[in-house]
Coordinates of all heavy atoms in Angstrom, one line a residue:
F59 N 5.3 30.4 -15.3 CA 3.9 30.9 -15.2 C 2.9 29.8 -15.0 O 1.7 30.1 -14.7 CB 3.6 31.7 -16.4 CG 3.6 31.0 -17.7 CD1 2.6 30.2 -18.1 CD2 4.7 31.3 -18.6 CE1 2.6 29.6 -19.4 CE2 4.7 30.7 -19.9 CZ 3.7 29.8 -20.3
G60 N 3.2 28.5 -15.2 CA 2.2 27.4 -14.9 C 0.9 27.6 -15.7 O 0.9 27.6 -16.9
G61 N -0.2 27.7 -14.9 CA -1.5 27.8 -15.5 C -1.8 29.1 -16.2 O -2.7 29.2 -16.9
G62 N -1.0 30.2 -15.9 CA -1.1 31.4 -16.7 C -1.8 32.6 -16.1 O -1.9 33.6 -16.7
V63 N -2.3 32.4 -14.8 CA -3.1 33.5 -14.2 C -2.2 34.8 -14.1 O -2.7 35.9 -14.2 CB -3.7 33.1 -12.9 CG1 -2.7 32.9 -11.8 CG2 -4.7 34.2 -12.4
G64 N -0.9 34.6 -13.8 CA 0.0 35.7 -13.7 C 0.1 36.5 -15.0 O 0.3 37.7 -15.0
L65 N 0.1 35.8 -16.1 CA 0.2 36.5 -17.4 C -1.0 37.4 -17.6 O -0.9 38.6 -18.0 CB 0.2 35.5 -18.5 CG 1.3 34.4 -18.5 CD1 1.2 33.5 -19.7 CD2 2.7 35.1 -18.5
T66 N -2.2 36.9 -17.2 CA -3.4 37.8 -17.3 C -3.3 39.0 -16.4 O -3.6 40.1 -16.9 CB -4.7 37.0 -16.9 OG1 -4.8 35.9 -17.7 CG2 -5.9 37.8 -16.9
L67 N -2.8 38.8 -15.2 CA -2.7 40.0 -14.3 C -1.7 41.0 -14.7 O -1.9 42.2 -14.6 CB -2.4 39.4 -12.9 CG -3.5 38.6 -12.2 CD1 -3.0 38.0 -10.9 CD2 -4.8 39.3 -12.0
L68 N -0.6 40.5 -15.2 CA 0.4 41.4 -15.8 C 0.0 42.1 -17.0 O 0.2 43.3 -17.2 CB 1.7 40.6 -16.0 CG 2.5 40.2 -14.8 CD1 3.7 39.2 -15.2 CD2 3.1 41.4 -14.1
L69 N -0.7 41.4 -17.9 CA -1.2 42.1 -19.1 C -2.2 43.2 -18.7 O -2.2 44.2 -19.4 CB -1.9 41.1 -20.0 CG -1.0 40.1 -20.8 CD1 -1.7 38.9 -21.3 CD2 -0.3 40.9 -22.0
D70 N -2.9 43.0 -17.7 CA -3.9 44.1 -17.3 C -3.2 45.3 -16.7 O -3.8 46.4 -16.7 CB -4.8 43.5 -16.2 CG -5.8 42.5 -16.7 OD1 -6.0 42.5 -17.9 OD2 -6.4 41.8 -15.8
R71 N -1.9 45.2 -16.4 CA -1.2 46.3 -15.7 C -0.3 47.1 -16.7 O 0.1 48.2 -16.3 CB -0.3 45.8 -14.6 CG -1.1 45.2 -13.4 CD -1.8 46.3 -12.6 NE -0.8 47.2 -12.0 CZ -0.4 47.1 -10.8 NH1 -0.8 46.1 -10.0 NH2 0.5 48.0 -10.3
I72 N 0.1 46.5 -17.8 CA 1.2 47.2 -18.6 C 0.6 48.1 -19.7 O 1.4 48.9 -20.2 CB 2.1 46.2 -19.3 CG1 1.3 45.3 -20.2 CG2 2.8 45.4 -18.2 CD1 2.1 44.5 -21.2
A73 N -0.7 48.0 -20.0 CA -1.3 48.9 -20.9 C -0.7 48.8 -22.3 O 0.3 48.1 -22.5 CB -1.3 50.4 -20.4
P74 N -1.2 49.6 -23.3 CA -0.5 49.5 -24.6 C 0.9 50.0 -24.5 O 1.3 50.9 -23.8 CB -1.4 50.5 -25.4 CG -2.7 50.5 -24.7 CD -2.4 50.3 -23.3

Side-chain angles (χ1 to χ4, degrees):
F59 62 76
V63 67
L65 302 179
T66 298
L67 296 173
L68 288 170
L69 285 163
D70 288 344
R71 294 289 298 264
I72 61 165

